[in-house]
Amino acid sequence: MAKHPSTAPAKSAQDTLTNDVLDGLKKEPKELSPVWFYDELGSFLFDNICELPEYYITRTELQIMHGHANEMAQYIGPDAALIEFGSGTSLKTRLLLDRLESPLAYVPVDISREHLFAAAGALAKDYPHLHIVPVCADFTQNFELPNFIRAAERRIVYFPGSTLGNFDRAQARALLARMRDLVGKNGAVLIGIDLRKDPRVLERAYDDAAGVTAEFNINALRHVNRELGADFDLDAFDHLAVWVENESRIEMHLVSRKDQTVHLGGEKVRIGRGEHLRTEYCHKYTLESFNELAATAGLAVKRVWMDPNKQFSVQLLEP
Ligand code: AVI
């Protein structure tokens, strides 16, 4: 899962994106990448999701950060370079930055140039003495860091929000392994991991009563229509959130209400009545299952902070 740049893609990039979408639509079940969620409206809807009563994730992670950021900062220690993957608004990061002792630099990494520089500018106002080094990159791919960050004695990757859950096991392992390589033997990874819980709680969190998540899901089709000239009928899909026990994940689907033919890139794609289009999955871990995953990437769990109801965890990993 990676966020897609909000600006219109150039012609050849557009062909690649069209082919990616067509490939997904040829799978069984049909799939559409979650990168399509995040145009301007999608990012706005996601911010709204984070405030919903059913979506416990953001609130709970913030609660953990409020309660334990002091201790996290102690683990991180002085003079660290803090590198945040998918930094967004850097909201939770402030709770850490407020407590870090003489950080060498803060390096937000985000694919959306606009959001990256807006957030970095806002931070610079509030932290005038902090060296902020924004890096515009897709963190799921290799990206360059300035030499002085690569050479920093203590490098910490911060990856809040439970975004790791949006990757399948192989991708999650590969991403964790890249984080391990980036921080080196003296570094650490501080990561937000959502925990397994009653599926009814999860299904509500991903299918809220106000319908914001449903709109967020449908908006992915709107985004594809606009950017790639497709003609999905936005009114002909229902939003569905479903817990898949054997994968330990909640999935978001769009279910077609009718037989329809979608035109995209000169091709026709048939979608049957009742057919599902999977748009996202969000894996939920137990402490043990995440421990095992981290170990396969060469990382050991050193410390786990949780809320009192054990809904969510922030974990410190070391190579
Ligand atoms: C970005 N990610 C961690 C969110 C999640 O909970 O998996 C995306 C999301 N999808 C629906 N609601 C929120």
Side-chain angles (χ1 to χ4, degrees):
M1 206 284 300
K3 289 191 183 177
H4 171 251
S6 48
T7 46
K11 186 80 184 83
S12 63
Q14 188 155 0
D15 289 346
T16 311
L17 292 170
T18 301
N19 289 335
D20 288 351
V21 171
L22 284 169
D23 285 349
L25 294 177
K26 285 172 192 158
K27 285 189 181 156
E28 184 54 48
K30 289 183 168 51
E31 273 181 7
L32 178 68
S33 164
V35 298
W36 293 101
F37 288 144
Y38 298 99
D39 62 355
E40 209 180 322
L41 175 59
S43 300
F44 170 79
L45 290 169
F46 181 65
D47 287 347
N48 279 276
I49 287 174
C50 293
E51 307 270 316
L52 291 169
E54 297 96 330
Y55 194 74
Y56 60 88
I57 292 186
T58 313
R59 204 176 42 248
T60 312
E61 188 173 22
L62 271 169
Q63 182 193 351
I64 296 170
M65 295 306 292
H66 275 290
H68 303 284
N70 270 336
E71 204 191 330
M72 294 175 195
Q74 273 165 25
Y75 269 91
I76 292 172
D79 307 322
L82 187 71
I83 305 157
E84 182 169 357
F85 276 36
S87 45
T89 56
S90 304
L91 193 67
K92 293 158 201 143
T93 325
R94 287 171 178 256
L95 297 170
L96 265 186
L97 290 173
D98 287 343
R99 292 157 176 96
L100 284 184
E101 193 186 332
S102 57
L104 178 77
Y106 169 57
V107 187
V109 182
D110 205 290
I111 197 162
S112 163
R113 183 170 293 276
E114 221 177 306
H115 289 132
L116 177 70
F117 285 96
L123 266 184
K125 276 200 193 120
D126 297 338
Y127 298 85
H129 302 297
L130 179 66
H131 193 165
I132 303 173
V133 188
V135 171
C136 185
D138 174 358
F139 65 76
T140 63
Q141 310 294 323
N142 286 328
F143 59 88
E144 291 296 313
L145 283 175
N147 284 342
F148 85 101
I149 299 293
R150 289 218 163 270
E153 186 53 30
R154 182 119 166 109
R155 297 183 295 278
I156 307 293
V157 165
Y158 182 42
F159 192 37
S162 87
T163 304
L164 193 80
N166 296 130
F167 296 85
D168 68 27
R169 195 181 158 80
Q171 293 168 333
R173 188 195 156 280
L175 184 55
L176 288 169
R178 283 188 40 245
M179 291 178 180
R180 182 208 57 212
D181 292 347
L182 199 157
V183 301
K185 62 178 181 358
N186 288 334
V189 175
L190 187 65
I191 189 168
I193 297 294
D194 195 18
L195 301 174
R196 268 182 72 112
K197 53 187 59 66
D198 184 339
R200 284 169 301 185
V201 174
L202 289 166
E203 285 175 355
R204 277 197 293 270
Y206 290 85
D207 187 9
D208 60 280
V212 183
T213 311
E215 191 49 38
F216 175 72
N217 202 7
I218 297 280
N219 186 56
L221 299 181
R222 186 180 288 120
H223 191 186
V224 174
N225 281 355
R226 191 182 60 241
E227 295 269 343
L228 303 181
D231 58 357
F232 284 100
D233 179 352
L234 305 185
D235 295 324
F237 288 91
D238 288 319
H239 166 72
L240 177 76
V242 59
W243 173 250
V244 180
E245 174 64 30
N246 59 354
E247 301 283 358
S248 192
R249 68 191 186 198
I250 184 101
E251 295 189 351
M252 294 215 310
H253 295 192
L254 289 164
V255 184
S256 182
R257 267 194 233 133
K258 61 175 192 189
D259 285 326
Q260 50 181 308
T261 303
V262 175
H263 301 85
L264 170 63
E267 293 197 29
K268 289 180 183 176
V269 181
R270 294 218 44 198
I271 307 178
R273 181 164 181 262
E275 195 172 347
H276 290 217
L277 199 69
R278 183 169 62 200
T279 49
E280 188 180 50
Y281 36 69
C282 318
H283 294 81
K284 307 298 170 184
Y285 293 95
T286 61
L287 293 182
E288 297 71 31
S289 68
F290 182 68
N291 209 310
E292 279 166 25
L293 175 68
T296 66
L299 288 163
V301 177
K302 286 287 157 201
R303 184 77 172 87
V304 179
W305 294 274
M306 285 183 286
D307 56 296
N309 296 326
K310 297 189 167 46
Q311 299 228 66
F312 195 90
S313 67
V314 179
Q315 310 205 15
L316 189 97
L317 321 174
E318 282 178 4

